Amino acid sequence: MSTITKNSLKSSLMKLQCHFTWTLLKEDMDLDNLEETIGDQIKFFANSNIKNYNLLSYVCHLKNSNEEALKYLRQAEEEVKKIYPDEIDRRSLVTWGNYAWICYYMGRYKEAQTYVSKVEKSCKKLSSTAPGKIQLPEICAEQGWAFLKFGRKYYERAKDCFENVLKNEPNNPEFNAGYAIVMYRLEDFYRRECEDVSPSIEALKHAVELNPENTFIMTLLALKLQDLEQVDEGERYIEAAIQKTPDFPYVLRYAAKFYRRKNDVNKALEILKKALEVTPKSAFLHHQLGVCYKEKLFQLKKTTRYPPQEQVKELIQLSIFHFKAATNQNTKCFVAYLGLAHMYAEGKRYEEAEETFQKAFQINTLSYADKQEFYYRYGNFQRFHMKSESEAIRNYTEGLKIEKDSYGRQSCVNALKQLLEKRIQEGLGNATDFGTLGFIHNLNDEKHKAIQCYEKAIALYPNNEEYVSALCELQLSITS
């Protein structure tokens, strides 16, 4: 194929609406884990198989397995013929788009052009818009589902997709389910960052009303009701979901989370073990099991003055086993790394704890709230396990320097304030301690206390420009 023809083909490919043009980056996901997750969903969400096969083909391509990718596209085609025999063209556009791109990357340019032509011909038949650029709600929704699968960096884009399709089909059960899921996840995410986002409760209720058989959405609604302290109503939804689909792992995982948050850890463990039998490689389930054993350990320490050491050791080992399984399965599971590091520290395995903390911080998809949470947890490790107050202060301060609010940052503020006040009371406070405490008081709008701290810091370090400047600004703000 000549360079001109190849460039022309590439130009046509760029106009297609499929996973290759949706900017889904492989560095944002653990591809092995994503492949496993989609495989599980194909088993348990039969009505979503077309879009799951399409996405799986793209994941396989990202893993340099193009023959495997083509196999999944053939399966997507079979599903289309079976479910939509009268709408084959309309329902195959994403599949054909992926076919075209994979053939192109395999150097099979004639086949790639054949699929491009099929898409263009179908689009012309279905609409008068530009070739390959037809605006079909099911394609926009499929894009939304793909964004959901690729993690929280893509959630806002997923939300936009589902909002767009709901404008014309406000009561479509599948579109409402997608919108409810993304709103639930966004709300959870932004709550950690102390930001407001539209409550997901109404979206979840509407999705359940439109499809009372969607027990997965039902469990998310139950968890949201639990957040709003409507625990009894939430539990009714959990019980109904389990009754309707007792062996459905995606219901069991959230039912377990509900009972763990209700402090019924034993029931949560029982449910998680049942779910793990069905999906043994689920990073989510292993993480939740690790959390449960960690909570059992802290309950034991809290309620027993001299907890039996064998029991303590066993709970630490079980928690480590499951957190480690979660991080092995999903190398980007930040919360599992933090849990694992914490339990290594509890087991006095400090080198492994240090190594795990560093792995957590090297994950390339961390948000600012994640980083603040890291500095808080790592600061605690330095303070309580390594007995290094200076390192604890350094890490809490790093969390504070990221000037966006989150629960992690607030935790850094509180821990740092407590530690600095303790050092000052013990007569160990230096200029940096007073200066940092002054900064915290100023953050908390305690200006007179901040002024006192900066004055003490300057007394110990007279020519420090930062402290002098902060003190001048504070005095001006009080007098103006």
Side-chain angles (χ1 to χ4, degrees), residues 3-150:
T3 306
I4 295 168
T5 317
K6 195 176 166 185
N7 288 343
S8 167
L9 173 58
K10 185 71 181 281
S11 174
S12 298
L13 287 166
M14 292 302 296
K15 293 172 187 169
L16 301 178
Q17 293 186 72
C18 63
H19 296 85
F20 288 81
T21 58
W22 292 339
T23 327
L24 299 158
L25 306 179
K26 69 177 180 180
E27 58 265 28
D28 291 333
M29 289 300 290
D30 180 314
L31 294 178
D32 290 332
N33 181 59
L34 181 56
E35 186 178 8
E36 185 76 31
T37 301
I38 300 166
D40 283 341
Q41 293 188 357
I42 284 169
K43 286 179 209 166
F44 297 104
F45 290 97
N47 61 335
S48 304
N49 278 359
I50 298 167
K51 58 178 175 279
N52 277 328
Y53 282 131
N54 285 337
L55 180 56
L56 204 45
S57 74
Y58 180 68
V59 172
C60 286
H61 163 74
L62 294 179
K63 291 177 68 182
N64 300 313
S65 302
N66 285 323
E67 287 295 349
E68 192 79 357
L70 292 176
K71 183 188 88 176
Y72 287 121
L73 291 175
R74 285 192 286 273
Q75 287 176 278
E77 283 189 308
E78 288 306 312
E79 289 289 314
V80 170
K81 286 173 192 170
K82 192 166 68 181
I83 302 167
Y84 303 107
D86 301 325
E87 295 183 282
I88 288 174
D89 283 10
R90 183 186 180 105
R91 300 288 177 170
S92 299
L93 295 173
V94 174
T95 306
W96 292 341
N98 281 6
Y99 256 127
W101 272 99
I102 291 166
C103 289
Y104 174 80
Y105 280 116
M106 293 174 83
R108 289 153 59 169
Y109 303 123
K110 260 191 172 180
E111 281 179 75
Q113 184 59 61
T114 300
Y115 281 109
V116 168
S117 300
K118 280 178 89 166
V119 172
E120 289 176 350
K121 190 178 170 185
S122 298
C123 288
K124 206 170 182 182
K125 198 160 56 175
L126 291 162
S127 166
S128 57
T129 56
K133 282 289 179 186
I134 188 168
Q135 298 298 314
L136 292 177
E138 54 267 32
I139 292 179
C140 192
E142 183 161 352
Q143 189 177 9
W145 288 111
F147 287 147
L148 259 178
K149 292 278 199 323
F150 260 71

Side-chain angles (χ1 to χ4, degrees), residues 187-203:
E187 189 173 315
D188 195 47
F189 179 44
Y190 285 124
R191 198 173 63 233
R192 285 181 55 227
E193 298 186 343
C194 304
E195 289 186 23
D196 288 330
V197 69
S198 304
S200 62
I201 188 77
E202 293 307 321

